[in-house]
Amino acid sequence: VAARGAPGGGADAAASADGDGLRPVVAIVGAGFGGLRAARALAQAPVRVVLIDRHNHHLFQPLLYQVATAGLAPADIAQPVRSILAGQRNLDFHMAEVQAVDLGRRTLKLPAGDLAYDYLIVAAGGQTNDFGLAGVLRHGFGLKDLQDALRLRNHLLYQFELAAQTDDRRECAALLTFTVVGGGPTGVECAGAISELVRLVLVRDYPWLDQADVCIWLLEAADRLLPAFAPPLQRAAWQMLGRRHVHVRFNAAVDAFDGATVTLRGGETFPSRTLIWAAGIRAADLLNRLGAEQARLGRVVVTPTLQLPGRPEVFVIGDAAYLEQDGQPVPMVAPAAIQQGRLAGENLQRLLRREALKPFVYRDPGLLATIGRNDAVAQFGRRTFRGFLAWVLWLSVHLVQLIGFRNRLVVLINWAWDYFFYDRASRLITSR
Ligand SMILES: Cc1cc2nc3c(=O)[nH]c(=O)nc-3n(C[C@H](O)[C@H](O)[C@H](O)COP(=O)(O)OP(=O)(O)OC[C@H]3O[C@@H](n4cnc5c(N)ncnc54)[C@H](O)[C@@H]3O)c2cc1C
């Protein structure tokens, strides 16, 4: 396609019929929470937006664990970028992996050729961080994209099929031991969801299955769960997991995993065929190739206006960006990426109009984590909630945040069906 901004075209490529060729090109890398909001914020701006993502869809990562535990189907939590931004006339979408950024020449390296930009917004997000631990991601499961979630769903369900075919009790115990690593919201929600999948659904699929045969570990290297929450909520979440027969172990750091045995720091080992790594995220690989200053977890240091120091035409936002507020880094969460995406779009337009740029101020909308049906913890400033009320809040907030009316409706129907009929519609093993 010889559109302006297409790979090989560049900023000086032939203008399109509607005169868009005269407009500055804004390239946005990543159609996640931040990139999508930045693109929308530029809908009325006199620019040509080129949005690039390696996937053709926007993914609602907070519900990935529900795909992994057979509660939702992939299409329920993802939506094609082209359909989300269909009405935006100043935008082109490219499904491509950005291999490198040449800040000096103002070009992005894509498989099909170079793409020139006038302004750049990097919203490439994060990726699973295994801290270099042996075998953890090779034999275990990260949870960052749909492929990860489907791989985990297939594996979890297949363990029960294998267990159904063995008389060896030790083998059966290893197959039915599920180890979740990381006591943050993802680990807690994942451990709770596996427990409910087993206790409420799979016991009916496998009548021989005794709940006592299934062991779910939640390993946390520190001495508490949900570190960002108030201590009473941390304790409440621990008790809620206990009621679901999830064994929480504190001060337990994983050292290695070979697909059959988990090794803890200190040398202790135990058999488990499943290790789910929910213990860390770092900035996406692309940020290592930007040639900019990086802080903790590979995040790129930005100015308060979200620009790269010395490069006013480049904005970095979301999980990829490092900015401190009140002495603390802005957290790697969806609301921060959304708020930064909006501000990057606004600041870019201010830059075009030669107006002063606004500094970023993070507004914390609160914290939520669900442990299972009727049980969640929630914190809004000093107000805390737990149990059923927090669970309803969790459901409502996640439904509202999902993109697309169809997805909201399908997820609502799915949740209602699961709630009333103790069922999980998506328990298909589609590959081994
Ligand atoms: C399992 C899980 C659960 C979570 N739960 C919550 C939660 O409950 N609440 C909450 O607030 N936050 C949660 N988060 C964190 C939240 O999802 C992130 O903070 C948020 O997605 C960051 O937004 P972003 O725009 O920076 O990056 P992302 O949303 O990750 O988007 C980055 C995009 O960039 C694309 N990309 C990356 N590199 C390239 C490249 N080289 N070329 C082309 N495209 C590229 C990716 O495909 C992706 O689409 C969760 C995260 C995970 C993984």
Side-chain angles (χ1 to χ4, degrees):
V1 182
R4 182 185 155 89
D12 298 324
S16 58
D18 59 2
D20 280 355
L22 303 173
R23 296 177 167 200
V25 172
V26 180
I28 302 177
V29 182
F33 286 101
L36 210 57
R37 286 335 186 278
R40 279 178 168 166
L42 291 167
Q44 305 303 327
V47 295
R48 185 91 210 124
V49 180
V50 184
L51 177 61
I52 308 137
D53 200 296
R54 61 160 80 103
H55 298 120
N56 80 332
H57 52 263
H58 168 79
L59 176 65
F60 192 75
Q61 294 170 34
L63 292 179
L64 259 183
Y65 80 94
Q66 295 214 357
V67 173
T69 53
L72 294 172
D76 301 344
I77 64 161
Q79 177 117 344
V81 178
R82 287 183 186 279
S83 89
I84 299 172
L85 297 171
Q88 191 163 332
R89 289 175 55 81
N90 70 346
L91 180 136
D92 287 321
F93 173 68
H94 292 311
M95 180 180 160
E97 171 98 27
V98 177
Q99 294 160 337
V101 182
D102 188 331
L103 294 176
R105 287 179 52 230
R106 298 192 184 184
T107 54
L108 301 180
K109 191 171 182 320
L110 307 183
D114 286 355
L115 185 145
Y117 63 79
D118 299 298
Y119 298 92
L120 175 65
I121 300 177
V122 182
Q127 65 188 53
T128 307
N129 187 1
D130 67 355
F131 302 99
L133 294 173
V136 156
L137 284 189
R138 180 137 180 257
H139 302 289
F141 297 84
L143 200 51
K144 186 62 191 155
D145 57 27
L146 282 179
Q147 244 176 318
D148 287 342
L150 283 175
R151 230 165 52 86
L152 179 54
R153 183 185 83 187
N154 285 327
H155 171 88
L156 284 177
L157 297 173
Y158 190 50
Q159 301 315 292
F160 289 86
E161 291 301 330
L162 290 175
Q165 294 167 38
T166 181
D167 294 327
D168 182 335
R169 285 194 65 80
R170 284 177 61 180
E171 167 80 357
C172 191
L175 287 166
L176 299 183
T177 298
F178 302 98
T179 307
V180 182
V181 187
T186 303
V188 164
E189 291 184 346
C190 202
I194 295 174
S195 163
E196 296 209 328
L197 172 69
V198 174
R199 288 182 310 109
L200 306 181
V201 183
L202 295 184
V203 283
R204 287 186 287 150
D205 285 358
Y206 303 92
W208 51 266
L209 182 66
D210 185 342
Q211 285 182 33
D213 293 339
V214 180
C215 182
I216 302 165
W217 285 108
L218 176 59
L219 307 181
E220 168 52 51
D223 59 1
R224 70 194 68 179
L225 298 173
L226 302 176
F229 287 69
L233 294 186
Q234 296 172 347
R235 287 191 291 275
W238 181 26
Q239 285 160 3
M240 290 170 190
L241 284 167
R243 286 202 293 274
R244 287 169 175 76
H245 309 282
V246 174
H247 306 288
V248 180
R249 251 188 88 169
F250 295 111
N251 304 309
V254 168
D255 211 25
F257 179 59
D258 64 4
T261 305
V262 179
T263 305
L264 300 183
R265 197 177 296 157
E268 185 188 338
T269 61
F270 63 89
S272 176
R273 293 288 162 81
T274 308
L275 182 133
I276 301 164
W277 186 256
I281 294 285
R282 63 182 170 85
D285 262 346
L286 182 66
L287 282 307
N288 297 332
R289 301 195 289 274
L290 207 57
E293 188 193 345
Q294 286 172 282
R296 274 193 69 230
L297 306 173
R299 300 172 86 187
V300 165
V301 177
V302 293
T303 65
T305 49
L306 306 177
Q307 289 156 297
L308 217 51
R311 286 267 166 211
E313 76 282 10
V314 180
F315 292 80
V316 184
I317 58 172
D319 284 2
Y322 184 88
L323 178 68
E324 287 189 4
Q325 195 169 299
D326 304 327
Q328 293 294 321
V330 174
M332 293 168 97
V333 291
I338 291 170
Q339 293 171 26
Q340 292 190 343
R342 287 197 195 115
L343 183 70
E346 189 187 330
N347 271 348
L348 203 150
Q349 294 179 71
R350 287 174 169 269
L351 200 61
L352 290 169
R353 296 194 299 263
R354 297 175 195 278
E355 291 172 5
L357 272 56
K358 280 187 184 170
F360 177 72
V361 180
Y362 178 53
R363 289 175 304 281
D364 182 358
L367 298 167
L368 287 158
T370 181
I371 287 78
R373 63 169 49 215
N374 303 336
D375 264 344
V377 287
Q379 180 174 318
F380 303 98
R382 290 201 183 148
R383 303 188 66 186
T384 60
F385 305 89
R386 64 187 79 177
F388 183 72
L389 182 57
W391 183 70
V392 173
L393 282 169
W394 183 92
L395 291 179
S396 318
V397 166
H398 283 75
L399 266 186
V400 169
Q401 284 181 346
L402 264 174
I403 287 188
F405 178 72
R406 179 200 162 276
N407 281 10
R408 284 187 205 128
L409 186 66
V410 172
V411 168
L412 180 65
I413 292 170
N414 251 295
W415 283 349
W417 185 272
D418 293 358
Y419 190 78
F420 292 113
F421 299 108
Y422 294 85
D423 195 10
R424 298 273 173 106
S426 304
R427 22 188 227 284
L428 307 179
I429 300 173
T430 51
S431 129
R432 283 193 271 146

